[in-house]
Structures are given as structure tokens and as C-alpha cells.
Amino acid sequence: MKVTILANYAPNAYKGLIQGSDREAAIKTLFESVGGKVYSVMFTRGAYDIVVNAEVPDQAAGMGLALAVRASGSVTDLVVLEELDMKAVLAVANKAAKVYKPAG
């Protein structure tokens, strides 16, 4: 399952960055620990400090690593975007749309 992760570092984590902590290596090790793979790590200016494009074996692996990062206190915001199979989603949406009766 492909994921894009958006995150902001907490103030204490900035200290580690300034002191030379190799976050790209740490992120790759984290993903590999759950059977995943990192495609890119991008440090950004704007709404988020970092964007990671990666792959994880399943939803549990993705959410598990996100929970571990959140629990560390090193991020103030973390968003996990999961890639969708839109053909499958639209097939279900079309089925549901045929039977759904809106309120009112």
C-alpha cells in the first residue's frame, strides 16, 4: 500500500536536526522495520516540514509506525494519506448510490 506522510517537527526535534540527526536514514529504518520501503523524503517549507512517499505492507503497518512516531513526541502533526484503488471505490459508490435514500 502506497502512503504519503506529512508531518511537522516538535521544537525538541528541531534541536536534533540542528545537531545533525540523519532523519532520512531514521525514516528508512523505521519503514523497513515494518516491511515497508521509502521512495522519497522531502524537507519542505510551508504547511509541513517533511513529506515522505513510501510503501507499507498493509494499513496496520502504516498506522502502527505512525502511532510510534506520534508517541515519541517528535512531531506536532502527522497526516497519513493512503493511496486508493479508485476503480474499486467507484464500483462500490455506484452500488451504494443505487440504494441510498437521502434524508428529507
Side-chain angles (χ1 to χ4, degrees):
M1 176 175 86
K2 291 182 181 176
V3 294
T4 297
I5 297 188
L6 311 169
N8 287 315
Y9 284 112
N12 61 309
Y14 286 124
K15 190 180 212 179
L17 285 170
I18 290 168
Q19 293 172 347
S21 178
D22 186 348
R23 300 322 305 153
E24 189 167 349
I27 291 164
K28 287 180 178 178
T29 299
L30 173 66
F31 273 83
E32 289 167 2
S33 77
V34 299
K37 179 179 179 174
V38 173
Y39 296 115
S40 68
V41 175
M42 186 172 34
F43 296 92
T44 59
R45 184 179 68 151
Y48 293 97
D49 296 327
I50 189 164
V51 177
V52 178
N53 289 301
E55 193 166 331
V56 291
D58 52 35
Q59 191 177 51
M63 296 314 294
L65 70 83
L67 181 60
V69 171
R70 284 184 179 110
S72 76
S74 63
V75 296
T76 58
D77 190 19
L78 188 136
V79 177
V80 179
L81 304 172
E82 300 173 5
E83 182 181 51
L84 295 175
D85 176 352
M86 277 310 288
K87 286 183 182 179
V89 170
L90 291 172
V92 173
N94 282 314
K95 244 188 232 186
K98 290 177 186 171
V99 299
Y100 178 69
K101 303 285 187 236

